[in-house]
Amino acid sequence: MRPSPPHARSARGLFGVLLTSLVSLAALLTTAPVAQADTAICEPFGSTTIQGRYVVQNNRWGTSEAQCITATDSGFRITQADGSVPTNGAPKSYPSVYNGCHYTSCSPGTSLPAQLSTISSAPTGISYSYVSNAMYDAAYDIWLDPTPRTDGVNRTEIMVWFNKVGPVQPVGSQVGTATVAGRQWQVWSGNNGSNDVLSFVAPSAITSWNFDVMDFARQAVSRGLAQNSWYLTSVQAGFEPWQDGAGLAVTSFSSMVNTGGGNPGDPGSPTACKVAYATSVWQGGFTADVTVTNTSSSPVNGWKLAFTLPAGQQITSSWNAGVSPSSGAVTVSSLAYNAQIAPGGRVSFGFQGSYSGTFAAPAGFSLNGAACTTA
């Protein structure tokens, strides 16, 4: 169960126009301010927004010990996680980043809640950084409910465990194994007293992965724990620590929900696009200059370009964009100054990297979940 954030506090000033300005500023500061740079959060239920579309929350609900996180441009890291709780009970907290609605707090521009029957795909990407001197799980949460609720506890929680360290286990008991989204999982099922929990546990640690949330939602439907008439209310990625946890980090997070409606460029909609990928290659190294053109008739407000680097290639530095991870399935994210692409407009970024074997370009690109043409 995840408690709700504290109520916003009111502000009072003393002098005329200054009073109005101070009140307005206080209102902005108490409703999840947007993180412009690394933002430290130590309040138990403190939060902020990143990329103008996701909420990062400290969400310390199972202990009175101190916990602090720092929100970054692309995720967050735990900087302090004092104390421990028994590993046969609930964790200390669930610091996380989310798209959707959590205890009345909805992320900016979200298309959630959305009815499962209307969702064609819900592409998402996550990268984690782990530590070994703690007991925790790295979990991607998917929340489902019969109603489009934006508050309280949903009926069914799907947990995708990317990693676990120590003698911790999901709610309930293991009920078998399954192949979901091309990976093998241990499947656990149970109830925590507030909601049903369906968990998928990776046999070994996954550090980064792009997948479709609907693959797991359909598992819940097929197992009788949800129906197609139900709603996806939020997706969240973070950690459940039982002991310590400082140093754990979500290094990148992306989430989109594609339905039958919506405008291209919205956080929940794909965008028509074209990508030009120009390289300069030498023995063992290369640079890539990438230009993304918005070929749709609507503006893009915040963009993520996804592609897979061929085997043997690794990014060592980048400019004009955030890049994570450095190899494999890569997600490139807009920065504050180049987040918008007008219809027919373009944005450019680049990176330098190393390679082994024969050099090759990525096979394809997708912008905000939609495949792009290549120039």
Side-chain angles (χ1 to χ4, degrees), residues 242-291:
W242 277 261
Q243 178 179 306
D244 301 325
L248 294 169
V250 169
T251 56
S252 70
F253 173 80
S254 65
S255 168
M256 289 164 285
V257 179
N258 299 324
T259 63
N263 297 316
D266 288 345
S269 302
T271 299
C273 50
K274 180 174 66 176
V275 172
Y277 189 84
T279 60
S280 176
V281 182
W282 61 92
Q283 184 62 41
F286 71 100
T287 59
D289 291 299
V290 186
T291 300

Short mmCIF file of all heavy atoms in Angstrom, two decimals, residues 242-291:
data_model
loop_
_atom_site.label_atom_id
_atom_site.label_comp_id
_atom_site.label_asym_id
_atom_site.label_seq_id
_atom_site.Cartn_x
_atom_site.Cartn_y
_atom_site.Cartn_z
N TRP A 242 14.64 -3.28 1.89
CA TRP A 242 14.42 -3.76 3.24
C TRP A 242 15.57 -3.35 4.16
O TRP A 242 15.36 -3.08 5.33
CB TRP A 242 14.29 -5.29 3.26
CG TRP A 242 12.94 -5.82 2.93
CD1 TRP A 242 11.98 -6.24 3.81
CD2 TRP A 242 12.38 -6.04 1.63
NE1 TRP A 242 10.86 -6.69 3.15
CE2 TRP A 242 11.08 -6.57 1.80
CE3 TRP A 242 12.84 -5.81 0.34
CZ2 TRP A 242 10.26 -6.91 0.74
CZ3 TRP A 242 12.02 -6.15 -0.73
CH2 TRP A 242 10.75 -6.68 -0.54
N GLN A 243 16.76 -3.32 3.61
CA GLN A 243 17.94 -2.95 4.38
C GLN A 243 18.83 -2.04 3.54
O GLN A 243 19.18 -2.38 2.40
CB GLN A 243 18.73 -4.20 4.80
CG GLN A 243 20.01 -3.92 5.56
CD GLN A 243 20.72 -5.20 5.96
OE1 GLN A 243 20.13 -6.07 6.59
NE2 GLN A 243 21.97 -5.33 5.58
N ASP A 244 19.18 -0.88 4.09
CA ASP A 244 20.03 0.10 3.41
C ASP A 244 19.47 0.44 2.03
O ASP A 244 18.27 0.57 1.89
CB ASP A 244 21.46 -0.43 3.33
CG ASP A 244 22.04 -0.73 4.71
OD1 ASP A 244 21.71 0.03 5.65
OD2 ASP A 244 22.78 -1.70 4.86
N GLY A 245 20.31 0.62 1.02
CA GLY A 245 19.83 0.94 -0.33
C GLY A 245 20.46 2.16 -0.95
O GLY A 245 20.17 2.48 -2.11
N ALA A 246 21.33 2.87 -0.21
CA ALA A 246 21.99 4.04 -0.80
C ALA A 246 22.82 3.62 -2.01
O ALA A 246 23.54 2.62 -1.98
CB ALA A 246 22.88 4.71 0.24
N GLY A 247 22.70 4.37 -3.07
CA GLY A 247 23.42 4.08 -4.30
C GLY A 247 22.56 3.47 -5.39
O GLY A 247 22.93 3.51 -6.57
N LEU A 248 21.42 2.89 -5.04
CA LEU A 248 20.50 2.37 -6.05
C LEU A 248 19.98 3.52 -6.91
O LEU A 248 19.73 4.62 -6.40
CB LEU A 248 19.33 1.64 -5.38
CG LEU A 248 19.67 0.36 -4.62
CD1 LEU A 248 18.47 -0.09 -3.79
CD2 LEU A 248 20.10 -0.74 -5.59
N ALA A 249 19.80 3.27 -8.20
CA ALA A 249 19.37 4.36 -9.08
C ALA A 249 18.56 3.84 -10.26
O ALA A 249 18.82 2.76 -10.80
CB ALA A 249 20.58 5.13 -9.60
N VAL A 250 17.55 4.60 -10.64
CA VAL A 250 16.90 4.48 -11.94
C VAL A 250 17.60 5.50 -12.83
O VAL A 250 17.47 6.71 -12.61
CB VAL A 250 15.40 4.76 -11.86
CG1 VAL A 250 14.80 4.90 -13.25
CG2 VAL A 250 14.69 3.66 -11.09
N THR A 251 18.38 5.03 -13.77
CA THR A 251 19.18 5.95 -14.60
C THR A 251 18.41 6.47 -15.80
O THR A 251 18.77 7.51 -16.36
CB THR A 251 20.48 5.28 -15.06
OG1 THR A 251 20.17 4.07 -15.76
CG2 THR A 251 21.35 4.93 -13.86
N SER A 252 17.36 5.77 -16.23
CA SER A 252 16.49 6.30 -17.28
C SER A 252 15.13 5.64 -17.18
O SER A 252 15.00 4.50 -16.73
CB SER A 252 17.09 6.05 -18.67
OG SER A 252 17.07 4.68 -19.01
N PHE A 253 14.10 6.38 -17.60
CA PHE A 253 12.73 5.89 -17.55
C PHE A 253 11.94 6.55 -18.67
O PHE A 253 12.06 7.75 -18.91
CB PHE A 253 12.08 6.22 -16.21
CG PHE A 253 10.60 5.90 -16.13
CD1 PHE A 253 10.18 4.60 -15.91
CD2 PHE A 253 9.65 6.90 -16.27
CE1 PHE A 253 8.82 4.30 -15.83
CE2 PHE A 253 8.29 6.61 -16.20
CZ PHE A 253 7.88 5.30 -15.97
N SER A 254 11.15 5.76 -19.38
CA SER A 254 10.25 6.30 -20.39
C SER A 254 8.97 5.48 -20.38
O SER A 254 8.99 4.28 -20.07
CB SER A 254 10.88 6.26 -21.79
OG SER A 254 11.10 4.93 -22.21
N SER A 255 7.87 6.12 -20.68
CA SER A 255 6.58 5.43 -20.70
C SER A 255 5.63 6.15 -21.62
O SER A 255 5.48 7.38 -21.55
CB SER A 255 5.99 5.38 -19.28
OG SER A 255 4.63 4.98 -19.30
N MET A 256 4.98 5.39 -22.50
CA MET A 256 3.96 5.93 -23.38
C MET A 256 2.79 4.96 -23.41
O MET A 256 2.95 3.77 -23.17
CB MET A 256 4.50 6.14 -24.79
CG MET A 256 5.48 7.29 -24.89
SD MET A 256 6.43 7.22 -26.42
CE MET A 256 7.55 5.88 -26.03
N VAL A 257 1.61 5.49 -23.68
CA VAL A 257 0.41 4.66 -23.80
C VAL A 257 -0.28 5.05 -25.10
O VAL A 257 -0.76 6.18 -25.25
CB VAL A 257 -0.53 4.86 -22.60
CG1 VAL A 257 -1.78 4.01 -22.76
CG2 VAL A 257 0.18 4.49 -21.30
N ASN A 258 -0.32 4.12 -26.04
CA ASN A 258 -0.91 4.39 -27.35
C ASN A 258 -2.32 3.82 -27.40
O ASN A 258 -2.53 2.63 -27.22
CB ASN A 258 -0.06 3.76 -28.45
CG ASN A 258 1.36 4.31 -28.47
OD1 ASN A 258 1.57 5.49 -28.21
ND2 ASN A 258 2.34 3.46 -28.74
N THR A 259 -3.27 4.71 -27.63
CA THR A 259 -4.67 4.31 -27.73
C THR A 259 -5.20 4.68 -29.10
O THR A 259 -4.47 5.19 -29.95
CB THR A 259 -5.51 5.00 -26.65
OG1 THR A 259 -5.48 6.42 -26.86
CG2 THR A 259 -4.97 4.69 -25.25
N GLY A 260 -6.49 4.47 -29.31
CA GLY A 260 -7.08 4.77 -30.60
C GLY A 260 -7.20 6.25 -30.87
O GLY A 260 -7.34 6.67 -32.01
N GLY A 261 -7.11 7.10 -29.81
CA GLY A 261 -7.23 8.54 -30.00
C GLY A 261 -5.93 9.24 -29.67
O GLY A 261 -4.86 8.65 -29.66
N GLY A 262 -6.05 10.54 -29.40
CA GLY A 262 -4.87 11.31 -29.00
C GLY A 262 -4.23 12.04 -30.16
O GLY A 262 -4.44 11.72 -31.33
N ASN A 263 -3.43 13.02 -29.83
CA ASN A 263 -2.72 13.80 -30.83
C ASN A 263 -1.27 13.40 -30.90
O ASN A 263 -0.63 13.23 -29.86
CB ASN A 263 -2.81 15.30 -30.49
CG ASN A 263 -4.22 15.82 -30.50
OD1 ASN A 263 -4.97 15.50 -31.40
ND2 ASN A 263 -4.56 16.62 -29.50
N PRO A 264 -0.72 13.21 -32.09
CA PRO A 264 0.69 12.88 -32.18
C PRO A 264 1.54 13.90 -31.43
O PRO A 264 1.31 15.09 -31.53
CB PRO A 264 0.97 12.92 -33.69
CG PRO A 264 -0.36 12.67 -34.32
CD PRO A 264 -1.36 13.32 -33.41
N GLY A 265 2.50 13.41 -30.67
CA GLY A 265 3.36 14.28 -29.90
C GLY A 265 2.98 14.36 -28.44
O GLY A 265 3.77 14.80 -27.62
N ASP A 266 1.73 13.96 -28.06
CA ASP A 266 1.36 13.89 -26.66
C ASP A 266 2.15 12.78 -25.99
O ASP A 266 2.59 11.84 -26.65
CB ASP A 266 -0.14 13.61 -26.52
CG ASP A 266 -0.98 14.82 -26.91
OD1 ASP A 266 -0.40 15.92 -27.01
OD2 ASP A 266 -2.19 14.66 -27.11
N PRO A 267 2.31 12.82 -24.63
CA PRO A 267 3.07 11.77 -23.97
C PRO A 267 2.52 10.37 -24.21
O PRO A 267 3.25 9.41 -24.11
CB PRO A 267 2.95 12.17 -22.49
CG PRO A 267 2.78 13.64 -22.51
CD PRO A 267 1.96 13.92 -23.74
N GLY A 268 1.23 10.26 -24.53
CA GLY A 268 0.68 8.94 -24.76
C GLY A 268 0.49 8.59 -26.22
O GLY A 268 -0.23 7.66 -26.54
N SER A 269 1.09 9.31 -27.15
CA SER A 269 0.82 9.08 -28.56
C SER A 269 2.12 8.99 -29.36
O SER A 269 3.09 9.65 -29.04
CB SER A 269 -0.03 10.22 -29.13
OG SER A 269 -1.25 10.33 -28.43
N PRO A 270 2.13 8.18 -30.44
CA PRO A 270 3.30 8.11 -31.29
C PRO A 270 3.39 9.31 -32.22
O PRO A 270 2.44 10.08 -32.36
CB PRO A 270 3.06 6.82 -32.09
CG PRO A 270 1.57 6.70 -32.14
CD PRO A 270 1.06 7.26 -30.84
N THR A 271 4.54 9.49 -32.86
CA THR A 271 4.78 10.64 -33.73
C THR A 271 5.43 10.20 -35.03
O THR A 271 6.35 9.39 -35.01
CB THR A 271 5.70 11.65 -33.01
OG1 THR A 271 5.06 12.10 -31.82
CG2 THR A 271 5.99 12.84 -33.89
N ALA A 272 4.94 10.72 -36.18
CA ALA A 272 5.57 10.44 -37.46
C ALA A 272 6.91 11.15 -37.52
O ALA A 272 7.03 12.30 -37.11
CB ALA A 272 4.66 10.90 -38.60
N CYS A 273 7.92 10.46 -38.05
CA CYS A 273 9.28 11.00 -37.94
C CYS A 273 10.19 10.45 -39.04
O CYS A 273 9.90 9.43 -39.67
CB CYS A 273 9.88 10.65 -36.58
SG CYS A 273 9.71 8.88 -36.16
N LYS A 274 11.33 11.14 -39.21
CA LYS A 274 12.39 10.71 -40.12
C LYS A 274 13.72 10.95 -39.42
O LYS A 274 13.91 11.96 -38.76
CB LYS A 274 12.32 11.49 -41.43
CG LYS A 274 13.40 11.10 -42.44
CD LYS A 274 13.19 11.81 -43.77
CE LYS A 274 13.38 13.29 -43.66
NZ LYS A 274 13.28 13.97 -44.98
N VAL A 275 14.65 10.00 -39.56
CA VAL A 275 15.93 10.08 -38.88
C VAL A 275 17.06 10.01 -39.90
O VAL A 275 17.07 9.13 -40.78
CB VAL A 275 16.10 8.94 -37.85
CG1 VAL A 275 17.53 8.92 -37.29
CG2 VAL A 275 15.10 9.10 -36.73
N ALA A 276 18.00 10.96 -39.79
CA ALA A 276 19.23 10.92 -40.57
C ALA A 276 20.37 10.60 -39.61
O ALA A 276 20.54 11.28 -38.59
CB ALA A 276 19.47 12.26 -41.25
N TYR A 277 21.15 9.55 -39.93
CA TYR A 277 22.20 9.04 -39.04
C TYR A 277 23.52 9.09 -39.80
O TYR A 277 23.82 8.24 -40.64
CB TYR A 277 21.85 7.61 -38.63
CG TYR A 277 22.71 7.01 -37.54
CD1 TYR A 277 22.43 7.25 -36.20
CD2 TYR A 277 23.76 6.15 -37.85
CE1 TYR A 277 23.19 6.67 -35.19
CE2 TYR A 277 24.53 5.56 -36.84
CZ TYR A 277 24.23 5.83 -35.51
OH TYR A 277 24.99 5.25 -34.51
N ALA A 278 24.31 10.14 -39.55
CA ALA A 278 25.58 10.34 -40.26
C ALA A 278 26.74 10.00 -39.33
O ALA A 278 26.76 10.44 -38.17
CB ALA A 278 25.70 11.79 -40.73
N THR A 279 27.70 9.23 -39.82
CA THR A 279 28.79 8.78 -38.97
C THR A 279 30.16 9.11 -39.57
O THR A 279 30.31 9.25 -40.78
CB THR A 279 28.72 7.25 -38.75
OG1 THR A 279 28.80 6.59 -40.02
CG2 THR A 279 27.45 6.87 -38.04
N SER A 280 31.12 9.23 -38.68
CA SER A 280 32.52 9.30 -39.04
C SER A 280 33.21 8.16 -38.29
O SER A 280 33.16 8.12 -37.05
CB SER A 280 33.12 10.65 -38.65
OG SER A 280 34.51 10.69 -38.93
N VAL A 281 33.84 7.24 -39.02
CA VAL A 281 34.34 6.00 -38.43
C VAL A 281 35.85 5.88 -38.62
O VAL A 281 36.38 6.18 -39.69
CB VAL A 281 33.64 4.78 -39.06
CG1 VAL A 281 34.12 3.48 -38.41
CG2 VAL A 281 32.12 4.91 -38.93
N TRP A 282 36.54 5.49 -37.56
CA TRP A 282 37.95 5.14 -37.64
C TRP A 282 38.17 3.83 -36.90
O TRP A 282 37.22 3.30 -36.29
CB TRP A 282 38.82 6.27 -37.07
CG TRP A 282 38.56 6.57 -35.62
CD1 TRP A 282 39.20 6.06 -34.54
CD2 TRP A 282 37.57 7.47 -35.11
NE1 TRP A 282 38.68 6.57 -33.38
CE2 TRP A 282 37.69 7.45 -33.70
CE3 TRP A 282 36.62 8.31 -35.70
CZ2 TRP A 282 36.86 8.21 -32.88
CZ3 TRP A 282 35.79 9.06 -34.87
CH2 TRP A 282 35.93 9.01 -33.48
N GLN A 283 39.36 3.30 -36.92
CA GLN A 283 39.63 2.00 -36.31
C GLN A 283 39.30 2.04 -34.81
O GLN A 283 39.96 2.73 -34.03
CB GLN A 283 41.08 1.59 -36.49
CG GLN A 283 41.43 0.21 -35.97
CD GLN A 283 40.64 -0.88 -36.68
OE1 GLN A 283 40.46 -0.84 -37.91
NE2 GLN A 283 40.16 -1.85 -35.94
N GLY A 284 38.27 1.32 -34.42
CA GLY A 284 37.90 1.20 -33.02
C GLY A 284 37.04 2.31 -32.47
O GLY A 284 36.64 2.25 -31.31
N GLY A 285 36.74 3.35 -33.27
CA GLY A 285 35.94 4.45 -32.76
C GLY A 285 35.08 5.09 -33.83
O GLY A 285 35.27 4.88 -35.03
N PHE A 286 34.13 5.90 -33.40
CA PHE A 286 33.24 6.57 -34.35
C PHE A 286 32.51 7.72 -33.66
O PHE A 286 32.44 7.81 -32.42
CB PHE A 286 32.20 5.59 -34.92
CG PHE A 286 31.15 5.15 -33.93
CD1 PHE A 286 29.88 5.73 -33.91
CD2 PHE A 286 31.41 4.16 -32.99
CE1 PHE A 286 28.91 5.34 -33.01
CE2 PHE A 286 30.45 3.76 -32.08
CZ PHE A 286 29.19 4.35 -32.09
N THR A 287 31.99 8.63 -34.46
CA THR A 287 31.03 9.63 -34.01
C THR A 287 29.77 9.50 -34.86
O THR A 287 29.83 9.08 -36.01
CB THR A 287 31.58 11.06 -34.13
OG1 THR A 287 31.90 11.32 -35.50
CG2 THR A 287 32.80 11.26 -33.25
N ALA A 288 28.64 9.85 -34.26
CA ALA A 288 27.36 9.83 -34.97
C ALA A 288 26.66 11.15 -34.78
O ALA A 288 26.55 11.64 -33.64
CB ALA A 288 26.49 8.69 -34.47
N ASP A 289 26.23 11.78 -35.87
CA ASP A 289 25.42 12.98 -35.83
C ASP A 289 24.02 12.60 -36.30
O ASP A 289 23.83 12.12 -37.43
CB ASP A 289 26.00 14.06 -36.73
CG ASP A 289 27.31 14.60 -36.19
OD1 ASP A 289 27.31 15.16 -35.07
OD2 ASP A 289 28.36 14.45 -36.87
N VAL A 290 23.04 12.80 -35.43
CA VAL A 290 21.69 12.32 -35.67
C VAL A 290 20.73 13.50 -35.78
O VAL A 290 20.75 14.40 -34.92
CB VAL A 290 21.23 11.38 -34.53
CG1 VAL A 290 19.87 10.76 -34.86
CG2 VAL A 290 22.26 10.29 -34.27
N THR A 291 19.93 13.52 -36.82
CA THR A 291 18.91 14.55 -37.01
C THR A 291 17.55 13.89 -37.06
O THR A 291 17.32 12.96 -37.84
CB THR A 291 19.14 15.34 -38.31
OG1 THR A 291 20.43 15.97 -38.24
CG2 THR A 291 18.07 16.41 -38.48
#
